[in-house]
C-alpha cells in the first residue's frame, strides 16, 4: 500500500474499546468546560479509569470498564455520540495505524 494512501474507517468500534476517561487530555477537559458539556465531564469525573494489567478499571469501585461510554451502535456500524467534540486522541487516530485496528498491516522491513 502506498504510504500516502489513507485507510477509510470501517466504523467497527475496535479502537473505541480503549476507555476515553483514561485518555482525555487537559485541553479536552478545558474545551468541554468552555462548551458546557457537563454530560461528558460528569462521566470523565466519575469513571476515574486506571490501568490494571491489560484492563481498565474504575478506581472508585474496581469494576471493569468496557470501552468508551460514548460509543453507540447505529444499526449496522458503531458511531461516536460526541464525534464533533471528541477528545484529541480520537481526532488524531488514523485508521490502520495501530495493531488494535483490524485494518492494520504489518510492514516487512
Amino acid at each position: 500500500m502506498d504510504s500516502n494512501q489513507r485507510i477509510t474507517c470501517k466504523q467497527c468500534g475496535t479502537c473505541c474499546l480503549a476507555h476515553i476517561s483514561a485518555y482525555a487530555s487537559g485541553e479536552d477537559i478545558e474545551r468541554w468546560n468552555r462548551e458546557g458539556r457537563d454530560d461528558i465531564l460528569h462521566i470523565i469525573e466519575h469513571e476515574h479509569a486506571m490501568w490494571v494489567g491489560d484492563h481498565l478499571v474504575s478506581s472508585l469501585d474496581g469494576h471493569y470498564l468496557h470501552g468508551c461510554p460514548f460509543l453507540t451502535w447505529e444499526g449496522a456500524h458503531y458511531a461516536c455520540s460526541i464525534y464533533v467534540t471528541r477528545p484529541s486522541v480520537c481526532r488524531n487516530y488514523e485508521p490502520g495505524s495501530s495493531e488494535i485496528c483490524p485494518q492494520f498491516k504489518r510492514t516487512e522491513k
Side-chain angles (χ1 to χ4, degrees):
M1 176 184 305
D2 181 342
S3 62
N4 294 327
Q5 187 177 4
R6 294 187 70 120
I7 295 174
T8 302
C9 178
K10 302 282 187 193
Q11 295 179 295
C12 69
T14 305
C15 61
C16 300
L17 294 175
H19 201 276
I20 187 175
S21 63
Y23 298 104
S25 70
E27 292 166 352
D28 295 323
I29 304 288
E30 289 174 19
R31 184 177 70 255
W32 295 327
N33 273 307
R34 282 191 312 273
E35 294 173 352
R37 294 302 305 260
D38 294 334
D39 56 332
I40 299 170
L41 295 168
H42 176 79
I43 289 172
I44 299 299
E45 184 177 315
H46 289 91
E47 285 294 337
H48 297 285
M50 60 185 275
W51 285 102
V52 175
D54 63 349
H55 291 87
L56 283 166
V57 299
S58 168
S59 64
L60 299 177
D61 64 12
H63 76 274
Y64 283 108
L65 301 173
H66 302 283
C68 178
F70 303 106
L71 182 65
T72 62
W73 179 250
E74 293 193 353
H77 61 84
Y78 283 97
C80 175
S81 65
I82 62 167
Y83 186 82
V84 173
T85 191
R86 67 195 183 281
S88 57
V89 68
C90 303
R91 289 177 189 275
N92 298 331
Y93 184 78
E94 294 285 333
S97 64
S98 70
E99 290 184 28
I100 194 172
C101 181
Q103 298 188 82
F104 178 77
K105 302 269 191 271
R106 192 172 309 278
T107 56
E108 299 297 321
K109 292 188 178 194

